[in-house]
Amino acid sequence: RGSFSLATPTFAVEVALPADTMCEMIAKVLDYLRAGTRMAWMIYPSSRTVMVYRSFEDIRMGRVRGCWRVQRS
């Protein structure tokens, strides 16, 4: 049979479900960053919030307004 390799994604997106805790979501994103992912988004549909992680120090938050406009905090 064929084999496969595990590759680190360049970009990752996690969408929070109502049952997901903030700690679980942050742990997922930190795992991506530790593995070498360059950017990870955490999306919280209920609050229309997006957290953008480029590194452990470069974290930004935005709130979605309307369809495509994002207001940075």
Short mmCIF file of all heavy atoms in Angstrom, two decimals:
data_model
loop_
_atom_site.label_atom_id
_atom_site.label_comp_id
_atom_site.label_asym_id
_atom_site.label_seq_id
_atom_site.Cartn_x
_atom_site.Cartn_y
_atom_site.Cartn_z
N ARG A 1 0.83 -1.20 0.00
CA ARG A 1 0.00 0.00 0.00
C ARG A 1 0.86 1.25 0.00
O ARG A 1 2.01 1.23 0.42
CB ARG A 1 -0.91 0.02 1.22
CG ARG A 1 -1.94 -1.07 1.23
CD ARG A 1 -3.13 -0.61 0.49
NE ARG A 1 -4.12 -1.67 0.36
CZ ARG A 1 -5.13 -1.57 -0.42
NH1 ARG A 1 -5.32 -0.51 -1.14
NH2 ARG A 1 -5.99 -2.53 -0.52
N GLY A 2 0.25 2.38 -0.38
CA GLY A 2 0.96 3.65 -0.42
C GLY A 2 1.20 4.19 0.97
O GLY A 2 0.59 3.78 1.95
N SER A 3 2.12 5.10 1.05
CA SER A 3 2.40 5.75 2.33
C SER A 3 2.04 7.22 2.21
O SER A 3 1.80 7.74 1.13
CB SER A 3 3.86 5.59 2.71
OG SER A 3 4.67 6.23 1.76
N PHE A 4 2.00 7.89 3.32
CA PHE A 4 1.70 9.32 3.32
C PHE A 4 2.64 10.00 4.29
O PHE A 4 3.21 9.38 5.17
CB PHE A 4 0.23 9.59 3.68
CG PHE A 4 -0.12 9.20 5.09
CD1 PHE A 4 -0.05 10.14 6.10
CD2 PHE A 4 -0.51 7.91 5.41
CE1 PHE A 4 -0.37 9.80 7.40
CE2 PHE A 4 -0.83 7.57 6.71
CZ PHE A 4 -0.76 8.52 7.71
N SER A 5 2.79 11.28 4.10
CA SER A 5 3.61 12.05 5.03
C SER A 5 2.73 13.09 5.70
O SER A 5 1.75 13.56 5.14
CB SER A 5 4.76 12.73 4.29
OG SER A 5 4.25 13.69 3.40
N LEU A 6 3.09 13.43 6.90
CA LEU A 6 2.38 14.47 7.62
C LEU A 6 3.09 15.79 7.36
O LEU A 6 4.27 15.93 7.60
CB LEU A 6 2.36 14.18 9.13
CG LEU A 6 1.64 12.91 9.54
CD1 LEU A 6 1.80 12.67 11.04
CD2 LEU A 6 0.18 12.98 9.18
N ALA A 7 2.36 16.73 6.83
CA ALA A 7 2.93 18.03 6.52
C ALA A 7 2.28 19.09 7.41
O ALA A 7 1.11 18.99 7.76
CB ALA A 7 2.71 18.38 5.06
N THR A 8 3.05 20.08 7.76
CA THR A 8 2.53 21.19 8.54
C THR A 8 1.85 22.17 7.60
O THR A 8 2.44 22.59 6.62
CB THR A 8 3.67 21.90 9.28
OG1 THR A 8 4.31 20.96 10.13
CG2 THR A 8 3.16 23.07 10.10
N PRO A 9 0.60 22.56 7.89
CA PRO A 9 -0.05 23.53 7.02
C PRO A 9 0.58 24.91 7.18
O PRO A 9 1.06 25.27 8.24
CB PRO A 9 -1.50 23.54 7.50
CG PRO A 9 -1.43 23.10 8.93
CD PRO A 9 -0.26 22.15 9.00
N THR A 10 0.57 25.68 6.10
CA THR A 10 1.04 27.05 6.15
C THR A 10 0.04 27.94 6.87
O THR A 10 0.39 28.86 7.59
CB THR A 10 1.27 27.59 4.72
OG1 THR A 10 2.21 26.75 4.08
CG2 THR A 10 1.79 29.01 4.74
N PHE A 11 -1.25 27.61 6.68
CA PHE A 11 -2.35 28.41 7.22
C PHE A 11 -3.39 27.46 7.80
O PHE A 11 -3.73 26.46 7.17
CB PHE A 11 -2.95 29.24 6.08
CG PHE A 11 -4.19 30.01 6.44
CD1 PHE A 11 -4.14 31.06 7.33
CD2 PHE A 11 -5.41 29.67 5.87
CE1 PHE A 11 -5.28 31.78 7.65
CE2 PHE A 11 -6.55 30.38 6.18
CZ PHE A 11 -6.49 31.43 7.07
N ALA A 12 -3.86 27.74 9.01
CA ALA A 12 -4.87 26.90 9.66
C ALA A 12 -6.03 27.75 10.15
O ALA A 12 -5.83 28.89 10.57
CB ALA A 12 -4.24 26.14 10.82
N VAL A 13 -7.22 27.17 10.11
CA VAL A 13 -8.42 27.84 10.61
C VAL A 13 -9.16 26.89 11.53
O VAL A 13 -9.39 25.74 11.18
CB VAL A 13 -9.37 28.25 9.45
CG1 VAL A 13 -10.64 28.88 9.99
CG2 VAL A 13 -8.68 29.19 8.48
N GLU A 14 -9.49 27.36 12.71
CA GLU A 14 -10.30 26.60 13.66
C GLU A 14 -11.57 27.41 13.93
O GLU A 14 -11.49 28.59 14.27
CB GLU A 14 -9.55 26.39 14.98
CG GLU A 14 -8.41 25.41 14.90
CD GLU A 14 -8.86 23.96 14.83
OE1 GLU A 14 -10.02 23.66 15.19
OE2 GLU A 14 -8.04 23.13 14.41
N VAL A 15 -12.72 26.78 13.76
CA VAL A 15 -14.01 27.42 14.04
C VAL A 15 -14.54 26.84 15.34
O VAL A 15 -14.71 25.62 15.47
CB VAL A 15 -15.01 27.19 12.89
CG1 VAL A 15 -16.34 27.84 13.22
CG2 VAL A 15 -14.46 27.73 11.58
N ALA A 16 -14.79 27.70 16.31
CA ALA A 16 -15.24 27.26 17.63
C ALA A 16 -16.69 26.80 17.57
O ALA A 16 -17.55 27.47 17.01
CB ALA A 16 -15.10 28.38 18.64
N LEU A 17 -16.92 25.66 18.17
CA LEU A 17 -18.28 25.16 18.37
C LEU A 17 -18.74 25.61 19.75
O LEU A 17 -17.92 25.93 20.61
CB LEU A 17 -18.29 23.64 18.27
CG LEU A 17 -17.81 23.05 16.95
CD1 LEU A 17 -17.72 21.54 17.05
CD2 LEU A 17 -18.76 23.46 15.83
N PRO A 18 -20.03 25.62 19.99
CA PRO A 18 -20.51 26.06 21.31
C PRO A 18 -19.90 25.28 22.48
O PRO A 18 -19.71 25.83 23.55
CB PRO A 18 -22.03 25.85 21.22
CG PRO A 18 -22.33 25.98 19.76
CD PRO A 18 -21.13 25.39 19.06
N ALA A 19 -19.57 24.01 22.26
CA ALA A 19 -19.03 23.19 23.34
C ALA A 19 -17.52 23.39 23.54
O ALA A 19 -16.97 22.93 24.55
CB ALA A 19 -19.32 21.72 23.06
N ASP A 20 -16.84 24.04 22.60
CA ASP A 20 -15.39 24.25 22.72
C ASP A 20 -15.08 25.30 23.77
O ASP A 20 -15.73 26.33 23.84
CB ASP A 20 -14.80 24.72 21.39
CG ASP A 20 -14.80 23.64 20.32
OD1 ASP A 20 -14.74 22.45 20.69
OD2 ASP A 20 -14.87 24.00 19.13
N THR A 21 -14.06 25.03 24.57
CA THR A 21 -13.62 26.02 25.55
C THR A 21 -12.50 26.87 24.94
O THR A 21 -11.84 26.46 23.98
CB THR A 21 -13.10 25.36 26.83
OG1 THR A 21 -11.88 24.65 26.52
CG2 THR A 21 -14.12 24.41 27.44
N MET A 22 -12.29 28.03 25.50
CA MET A 22 -11.21 28.90 25.04
C MET A 22 -9.87 28.19 25.19
O MET A 22 -9.02 28.28 24.30
CB MET A 22 -11.22 30.21 25.84
CG MET A 22 -10.13 31.16 25.45
SD MET A 22 -10.36 31.92 23.84
CE MET A 22 -11.44 33.24 24.29
N CYS A 23 -9.67 27.48 26.28
CA CYS A 23 -8.41 26.76 26.51
C CYS A 23 -8.17 25.71 25.43
O CYS A 23 -7.04 25.57 24.94
CB CYS A 23 -8.40 26.10 27.88
SG CYS A 23 -8.25 27.28 29.23
N GLU A 24 -9.21 24.98 25.04
CA GLU A 24 -9.06 23.99 23.98
C GLU A 24 -8.68 24.64 22.65
O GLU A 24 -7.81 24.14 21.93
CB GLU A 24 -10.37 23.21 23.78
CG GLU A 24 -10.72 22.29 24.92
CD GLU A 24 -12.14 21.73 24.80
OE1 GLU A 24 -13.02 22.38 24.21
OE2 GLU A 24 -12.33 20.61 25.32
N MET A 25 -9.32 25.76 22.35
CA MET A 25 -9.04 26.45 21.10
C MET A 25 -7.62 26.99 21.07
O MET A 25 -6.91 26.85 20.08
CB MET A 25 -10.05 27.58 20.88
CG MET A 25 -11.47 27.10 20.66
SD MET A 25 -11.67 26.15 19.14
CE MET A 25 -11.47 27.45 17.92
N ILE A 26 -7.20 27.60 22.15
CA ILE A 26 -5.84 28.14 22.21
C ILE A 26 -4.82 27.02 22.12
O ILE A 26 -3.80 27.15 21.44
CB ILE A 26 -5.65 28.99 23.48
CG1 ILE A 26 -6.48 30.27 23.36
CG2 ILE A 26 -4.17 29.32 23.71
CD1 ILE A 26 -6.53 31.11 24.61
N ALA A 27 -5.08 25.89 22.77
CA ALA A 27 -4.16 24.75 22.71
C ALA A 27 -3.99 24.27 21.27
O ALA A 27 -2.87 23.96 20.84
CB ALA A 27 -4.67 23.61 23.60
N LYS A 28 -5.08 24.23 20.50
CA LYS A 28 -4.99 23.82 19.10
C LYS A 28 -4.12 24.78 18.30
O LYS A 28 -3.26 24.36 17.53
CB LYS A 28 -6.38 23.76 18.46
CG LYS A 28 -7.25 22.63 18.94
CD LYS A 28 -8.60 22.68 18.25
CE LYS A 28 -9.55 21.65 18.77
NZ LYS A 28 -10.85 21.71 18.08
N VAL A 29 -4.35 26.07 18.48
CA VAL A 29 -3.57 27.06 17.74
C VAL A 29 -2.10 27.00 18.14
O VAL A 29 -1.21 27.06 17.28
CB VAL A 29 -4.16 28.47 17.94
CG1 VAL A 29 -3.23 29.52 17.39
CG2 VAL A 29 -5.51 28.57 17.27
N LEU A 30 -1.81 26.86 19.41
CA LEU A 30 -0.43 26.77 19.85
C LEU A 30 0.26 25.53 19.28
O LEU A 30 1.44 25.58 18.91
CB LEU A 30 -0.34 26.79 21.37
CG LEU A 30 -0.78 28.10 22.03
CD1 LEU A 30 -0.67 27.99 23.54
CD2 LEU A 30 0.00 29.28 21.50
N ASP A 31 -0.48 24.44 19.15
CA ASP A 31 0.07 23.24 18.51
C ASP A 31 0.44 23.52 17.06
O ASP A 31 1.51 23.10 16.59
CB ASP A 31 -0.93 22.08 18.57
CG ASP A 31 -1.05 21.46 19.95
OD1 ASP A 31 -0.16 21.69 20.80
OD2 ASP A 31 -2.05 20.74 20.17
N TYR A 32 -0.42 24.22 16.35
CA TYR A 32 -0.11 24.59 14.96
C TYR A 32 1.16 25.43 14.90
O TYR A 32 2.05 25.18 14.09
CB TYR A 32 -1.26 25.39 14.32
CG TYR A 32 -2.43 24.56 13.88
CD1 TYR A 32 -3.70 24.81 14.36
CD2 TYR A 32 -2.29 23.55 12.93
CE1 TYR A 32 -4.80 24.07 13.93
CE2 TYR A 32 -3.37 22.81 12.50
CZ TYR A 32 -4.63 23.07 13.00
OH TYR A 32 -5.70 22.34 12.57
N LEU A 33 1.24 26.46 15.75
CA LEU A 33 2.41 27.34 15.72
C LEU A 33 3.69 26.60 16.08
O LEU A 33 4.73 26.81 15.45
CB LEU A 33 2.20 28.54 16.66
CG LEU A 33 1.09 29.52 16.26
CD1 LEU A 33 0.93 30.59 17.33
CD2 LEU A 33 1.36 30.15 14.90
N ARG A 34 3.62 25.73 17.08
CA ARG A 34 4.80 24.94 17.47
C ARG A 34 5.26 24.04 16.32
O ARG A 34 6.46 23.78 16.17
CB ARG A 34 4.50 24.07 18.69
CG ARG A 34 4.55 24.81 19.98
CD ARG A 34 4.46 23.86 21.16
NE ARG A 34 3.93 24.58 22.29
CZ ARG A 34 2.69 24.47 22.76
NH1 ARG A 34 1.85 23.62 22.22
NH2 ARG A 34 2.30 25.19 23.78
N ALA A 35 4.33 23.57 15.51
CA ALA A 35 4.65 22.68 14.39
C ALA A 35 5.21 23.44 13.18
O ALA A 35 5.68 22.83 12.23
CB ALA A 35 3.42 21.88 13.99
N GLY A 36 5.10 24.79 13.20
CA GLY A 36 5.65 25.57 12.11
C GLY A 36 4.63 26.27 11.23
O GLY A 36 5.00 26.89 10.23
N THR A 37 3.35 26.18 11.56
CA THR A 37 2.33 26.89 10.81
C THR A 37 2.58 28.39 10.90
O THR A 37 2.87 28.89 11.98
CB THR A 37 0.92 26.54 11.34
OG1 THR A 37 0.72 25.14 11.17
CG2 THR A 37 -0.17 27.29 10.61
N ARG A 38 2.48 29.09 9.78
CA ARG A 38 2.80 30.53 9.77
C ARG A 38 1.67 31.40 10.27
O ARG A 38 1.90 32.48 10.80
CB ARG A 38 3.16 30.96 8.36
CG ARG A 38 4.47 30.38 7.90
CD ARG A 38 4.77 30.87 6.53
NE ARG A 38 6.13 30.57 6.17
CZ ARG A 38 6.66 30.92 5.03
NH1 ARG A 38 5.94 31.60 4.16
NH2 ARG A 38 7.89 30.61 4.76
N MET A 39 0.43 30.97 10.08
CA MET A 39 -0.70 31.78 10.53
C MET A 39 -1.86 30.85 10.87
O MET A 39 -2.12 29.88 10.17
CB MET A 39 -1.16 32.75 9.44
CG MET A 39 -2.32 33.64 9.88
SD MET A 39 -2.96 34.72 8.58
CE MET A 39 -1.56 35.77 8.28
N ALA A 40 -2.53 31.17 11.97
CA ALA A 40 -3.71 30.40 12.38
C ALA A 40 -4.81 31.37 12.80
O ALA A 40 -4.53 32.37 13.47
CB ALA A 40 -3.37 29.46 13.53
N TRP A 41 -6.02 31.07 12.38
CA TRP A 41 -7.19 31.87 12.77
C TRP A 41 -8.06 31.05 13.70
O TRP A 41 -8.27 29.86 13.48
CB TRP A 41 -8.03 32.23 11.56
CG TRP A 41 -7.46 33.23 10.63
CD1 TRP A 41 -6.20 33.74 10.61
CD2 TRP A 41 -8.16 33.85 9.55
NE1 TRP A 41 -6.06 34.63 9.59
CE2 TRP A 41 -7.25 34.71 8.92
CE3 TRP A 41 -9.45 33.74 9.05
CZ2 TRP A 41 -7.60 35.47 7.82
CZ3 TRP A 41 -9.79 34.50 7.95
CH2 TRP A 41 -8.88 35.36 7.35
N MET A 42 -8.58 31.68 14.73
CA MET A 42 -9.62 31.11 15.57
C MET A 42 -10.86 31.96 15.32
O MET A 42 -10.84 33.17 15.52
CB MET A 42 -9.26 31.19 17.06
CG MET A 42 -8.22 30.21 17.46
SD MET A 42 -8.04 30.01 19.27
CE MET A 42 -8.33 31.60 19.94
N ILE A 43 -11.91 31.31 14.89
CA ILE A 43 -13.15 32.02 14.57
C ILE A 43 -14.21 31.63 15.59
O ILE A 43 -14.45 30.44 15.83
CB ILE A 43 -13.61 31.69 13.14
CG1 ILE A 43 -12.53 32.13 12.14
CG2 ILE A 43 -14.95 32.35 12.84
CD1 ILE A 43 -12.80 31.73 10.72
N TYR A 44 -14.83 32.66 16.17
CA TYR A 44 -15.91 32.47 17.14
C TYR A 44 -17.19 33.03 16.52
O TYR A 44 -17.46 34.23 16.62
CB TYR A 44 -15.59 33.18 18.45
CG TYR A 44 -14.38 32.62 19.14
CD1 TYR A 44 -13.12 33.16 18.94
CD2 TYR A 44 -14.49 31.53 19.99
CE1 TYR A 44 -12.00 32.63 19.54
CE2 TYR A 44 -13.38 30.99 20.61
CZ TYR A 44 -12.14 31.55 20.38
OH TYR A 44 -11.04 31.01 21.00
N PRO A 45 -17.99 32.18 15.86
CA PRO A 45 -19.19 32.67 15.17
C PRO A 45 -20.19 33.36 16.09
O PRO A 45 -20.80 34.37 15.70
CB PRO A 45 -19.81 31.40 14.57
CG PRO A 45 -18.70 30.43 14.49
CD PRO A 45 -17.79 30.75 15.65
N SER A 46 -20.36 32.88 17.30
CA SER A 46 -21.38 33.45 18.19
C SER A 46 -21.09 34.91 18.55
O SER A 46 -22.00 35.71 18.70
CB SER A 46 -21.52 32.61 19.46
OG SER A 46 -20.29 32.59 20.16
N SER A 47 -19.81 35.26 18.67
CA SER A 47 -19.46 36.65 18.99
C SER A 47 -18.94 37.41 17.77
O SER A 47 -18.56 38.57 17.89
CB SER A 47 -18.40 36.68 20.09
OG SER A 47 -17.20 36.09 19.64
N ARG A 48 -18.90 36.73 16.62
CA ARG A 48 -18.40 37.32 15.37
C ARG A 48 -16.98 37.87 15.55
O ARG A 48 -16.65 38.95 15.11
CB ARG A 48 -19.36 38.39 14.86
CG ARG A 48 -20.74 37.84 14.58
CD ARG A 48 -21.70 38.91 14.13
NE ARG A 48 -21.33 39.49 12.85
CZ ARG A 48 -21.86 39.14 11.67
NH1 ARG A 48 -22.77 38.21 11.63
NH2 ARG A 48 -21.47 39.72 10.57
N THR A 49 -16.15 37.08 16.25
CA THR A 49 -14.79 37.48 16.56
C THR A 49 -13.80 36.55 15.87
O THR A 49 -14.04 35.35 15.77
CB THR A 49 -14.55 37.42 18.08
OG1 THR A 49 -15.50 38.26 18.72
CG2 THR A 49 -13.15 37.87 18.46
N VAL A 50 -12.70 37.13 15.40
CA VAL A 50 -11.62 36.37 14.78
C VAL A 50 -10.32 36.72 15.50
O VAL A 50 -10.00 37.89 15.66
CB VAL A 50 -11.47 36.72 13.28
CG1 VAL A 50 -10.31 35.94 12.67
CG2 VAL A 50 -12.76 36.46 12.53
N MET A 51 -9.62 35.70 15.93
CA MET A 51 -8.29 35.89 16.52
C MET A 51 -7.29 35.39 15.48
O MET A 51 -7.41 34.27 14.98
CB MET A 51 -8.13 35.08 17.80
CG MET A 51 -9.11 35.43 18.90
SD MET A 51 -8.86 37.05 19.60
CE MET A 51 -7.29 36.83 20.42
N VAL A 52 -6.31 36.23 15.14
CA VAL A 52 -5.31 35.88 14.14
C VAL A 52 -3.96 35.75 14.84
O VAL A 52 -3.49 36.69 15.47
CB VAL A 52 -5.24 36.95 13.03
CG1 VAL A 52 -4.15 36.60 12.02
CG2 VAL A 52 -6.60 37.10 12.35
N TYR A 53 -3.37 34.56 14.73
CA TYR A 53 -2.08 34.27 15.35
C TYR A 53 -1.04 34.12 14.24
O TYR A 53 -1.18 33.27 13.37
CB TYR A 53 -2.13 32.96 16.13
CG TYR A 53 -2.99 33.00 17.35
CD1 TYR A 53 -4.37 32.96 17.26
CD2 TYR A 53 -2.42 33.06 18.61
CE1 TYR A 53 -5.17 32.99 18.40
CE2 TYR A 53 -3.20 33.08 19.75
CZ TYR A 53 -4.57 33.06 19.63
OH TYR A 53 -5.34 33.08 20.76
N ARG A 54 0.00 34.96 14.28
CA ARG A 54 1.13 34.82 13.35
C ARG A 54 2.35 34.26 14.07
O ARG A 54 3.25 33.72 13.46
CB ARG A 54 1.49 36.16 12.73
CG ARG A 54 0.44 36.65 11.78
CD ARG A 54 0.86 37.98 11.19
NE ARG A 54 -0.18 38.51 10.36
CZ ARG A 54 -0.05 38.70 9.06
NH1 ARG A 54 1.08 38.41 8.46
NH2 ARG A 54 -1.04 39.18 8.36
N SER A 55 2.37 34.41 15.37
CA SER A 55 3.43 33.86 16.22
C SER A 55 2.90 33.89 17.65
O SER A 55 1.77 34.32 17.89
CB SER A 55 4.71 34.70 16.11
OG SER A 55 4.52 35.95 16.73
N PHE A 56 3.73 33.48 18.58
CA PHE A 56 3.32 33.50 19.98
C PHE A 56 3.15 34.93 20.49
O PHE A 56 2.42 35.18 21.43
CB PHE A 56 4.32 32.75 20.86
CG PHE A 56 4.38 31.28 20.55
CD1 PHE A 56 5.46 30.75 19.89
CD2 PHE A 56 3.35 30.44 20.91
CE1 PHE A 56 5.52 29.40 19.60
CE2 PHE A 56 3.39 29.09 20.63
CZ PHE A 56 4.48 28.56 19.97
N GLU A 57 3.83 35.88 19.85
CA GLU A 57 3.76 37.27 20.27
C GLU A 57 2.85 38.13 19.40
O GLU A 57 2.38 39.17 19.83
CB GLU A 57 5.17 37.92 20.26
CG GLU A 57 6.13 37.33 21.25
CD GLU A 57 6.83 36.08 20.72
OE1 GLU A 57 6.96 35.94 19.49
OE2 GLU A 57 7.23 35.24 21.53
N ASP A 58 2.64 37.73 18.16
CA ASP A 58 1.85 38.52 17.20
C ASP A 58 0.44 37.95 17.11
O ASP A 58 0.17 37.04 16.32
CB ASP A 58 2.52 38.54 15.83
CG ASP A 58 1.83 39.47 14.84
OD1 ASP A 58 0.82 40.10 15.20
OD2 ASP A 58 2.32 39.54 13.69
N ILE A 59 -0.45 38.47 17.95
CA ILE A 59 -1.84 38.00 18.02
C ILE A 59 -2.74 39.21 17.85
O ILE A 59 -2.57 40.22 18.52
CB ILE A 59 -2.13 37.32 19.38
CG1 ILE A 59 -1.15 36.17 19.61
CG2 ILE A 59 -3.58 36.86 19.45
CD1 ILE A 59 -1.14 35.66 21.02
N ARG A 60 -3.69 39.09 16.93
CA ARG A 60 -4.61 40.21 16.69
C ARG A 60 -6.05 39.72 16.78
O ARG A 60 -6.34 38.57 16.50
CB ARG A 60 -4.36 40.80 15.30
CG ARG A 60 -2.97 41.36 15.19
CD ARG A 60 -2.64 41.71 13.78
NE ARG A 60 -1.22 41.99 13.71
CZ ARG A 60 -0.72 43.06 13.15
NH1 ARG A 60 -1.50 43.96 12.61
NH2 ARG A 60 0.57 43.23 13.11
N MET A 61 -6.92 40.64 17.15
CA MET A 61 -8.33 40.31 17.27
C MET A 61 -9.13 41.25 16.38
O MET A 61 -8.82 42.43 16.29
CB MET A 61 -8.81 40.46 18.71
CG MET A 61 -10.25 40.04 18.89
SD MET A 61 -10.80 40.17 20.60
CE MET A 61 -11.40 41.83 20.60
N GLY A 62 -10.15 40.71 15.74
CA GLY A 62 -11.04 41.54 14.93
C GLY A 62 -12.47 41.11 15.14
O GLY A 62 -12.74 39.96 15.51
N ARG A 63 -13.38 42.04 14.95
CA ARG A 63 -14.80 41.73 15.03
C ARG A 63 -15.40 41.94 13.66
O ARG A 63 -15.17 42.96 13.03
CB ARG A 63 -15.49 42.63 16.04
CG ARG A 63 -14.94 42.36 17.44
CD ARG A 63 -15.87 42.79 18.48
NE ARG A 63 -17.11 42.07 18.29
CZ ARG A 63 -17.90 41.71 19.26
NH1 ARG A 63 -17.59 42.00 20.48
NH2 ARG A 63 -19.01 41.07 19.05
N VAL A 64 -16.13 40.95 13.18
CA VAL A 64 -16.74 41.02 11.86
C VAL A 64 -17.99 41.87 11.94
O VAL A 64 -18.85 41.67 12.80
CB VAL A 64 -17.07 39.61 11.34
CG1 VAL A 64 -17.75 39.69 9.99
CG2 VAL A 64 -15.81 38.77 11.27
N ARG A 65 -18.08 42.84 11.04
CA ARG A 65 -19.26 43.71 10.96
C ARG A 65 -19.80 43.60 9.55
O ARG A 65 -19.07 43.81 8.59
CB ARG A 65 -18.87 45.15 11.27
CG ARG A 65 -18.38 45.31 12.70
CD ARG A 65 -17.86 46.68 12.97
NE ARG A 65 -18.94 47.64 12.78
CZ ARG A 65 -18.76 48.95 12.72
NH1 ARG A 65 -17.54 49.43 12.83
NH2 ARG A 65 -19.76 49.76 12.56
N GLY A 66 -21.06 43.28 9.41
CA GLY A 66 -21.62 43.09 8.07
C GLY A 66 -21.11 41.80 7.49
O GLY A 66 -20.81 40.86 8.19
N CYS A 67 -20.96 41.77 6.19
CA CYS A 67 -20.52 40.54 5.53
C CYS A 67 -19.01 40.37 5.52
O CYS A 67 -18.51 39.34 5.89
CB CYS A 67 -21.04 40.52 4.10
SG CYS A 67 -22.82 40.35 3.99
N TRP A 68 -18.27 41.40 5.10
CA TRP A 68 -16.84 41.21 4.90
C TRP A 68 -15.98 42.25 5.59
O TRP A 68 -14.77 42.20 5.49
CB TRP A 68 -16.52 41.22 3.41
CG TRP A 68 -17.17 40.07 2.73
CD1 TRP A 68 -18.31 40.13 1.97
CD2 TRP A 68 -16.79 38.71 2.77
NE1 TRP A 68 -18.61 38.87 1.53
CE2 TRP A 68 -17.71 37.99 2.00
CE3 TRP A 68 -15.74 38.02 3.37
CZ2 TRP A 68 -17.61 36.62 1.81
CZ3 TRP A 68 -15.64 36.65 3.19
CH2 TRP A 68 -16.56 35.97 2.42
N ARG A 69 -16.55 43.22 6.26
CA ARG A 69 -15.75 44.26 6.90
C ARG A 69 -15.29 43.81 8.27
O ARG A 69 -16.05 43.29 9.05
CB ARG A 69 -16.58 45.53 7.02
CG ARG A 69 -16.91 46.11 5.66
CD ARG A 69 -17.90 47.22 5.67
NE ARG A 69 -17.84 48.06 6.86
CZ ARG A 69 -18.83 48.86 7.22
NH1 ARG A 69 -19.92 48.93 6.50
NH2 ARG A 69 -18.69 49.61 8.28
N VAL A 70 -14.03 44.02 8.56
CA VAL A 70 -13.48 43.65 9.86
C VAL A 70 -12.97 44.90 10.55
O VAL A 70 -12.26 45.71 9.97
CB VAL A 70 -12.32 42.64 9.71
CG1 VAL A 70 -11.67 42.36 11.06
CG2 VAL A 70 -12.80 41.35 9.07
N GLN A 71 -13.38 45.08 11.81
CA GLN A 71 -12.92 46.19 12.62
C GLN A 71 -11.91 45.65 13.61
O GLN A 71 -12.23 44.80 14.44
CB GLN A 71 -14.09 46.82 13.36
CG GLN A 71 -13.67 47.89 14.35
CD GLN A 71 -14.84 48.38 15.17
OE1 GLN A 71 -15.99 48.14 14.82
NE2 GLN A 71 -14.54 49.04 16.25
N ARG A 72 -10.68 46.10 13.53
CA ARG A 72 -9.65 45.62 14.46
C ARG A 72 -9.78 46.30 15.80
O ARG A 72 -10.11 47.46 15.88
CB ARG A 72 -8.26 45.91 13.91
CG ARG A 72 -7.92 45.01 12.77
CD ARG A 72 -6.47 45.12 12.47
NE ARG A 72 -6.15 44.16 11.44
CZ ARG A 72 -5.04 44.17 10.77
NH1 ARG A 72 -4.14 45.08 11.03
NH2 ARG A 72 -4.80 43.28 9.87
N SER A 73 -9.50 45.54 16.84
CA SER A 73 -9.55 46.08 18.20
C SER A 73 -8.19 46.56 18.61
O SER A 73 -7.19 46.10 18.18
CB SER A 73 -10.02 45.01 19.17
OG SER A 73 -11.29 44.56 18.80
#
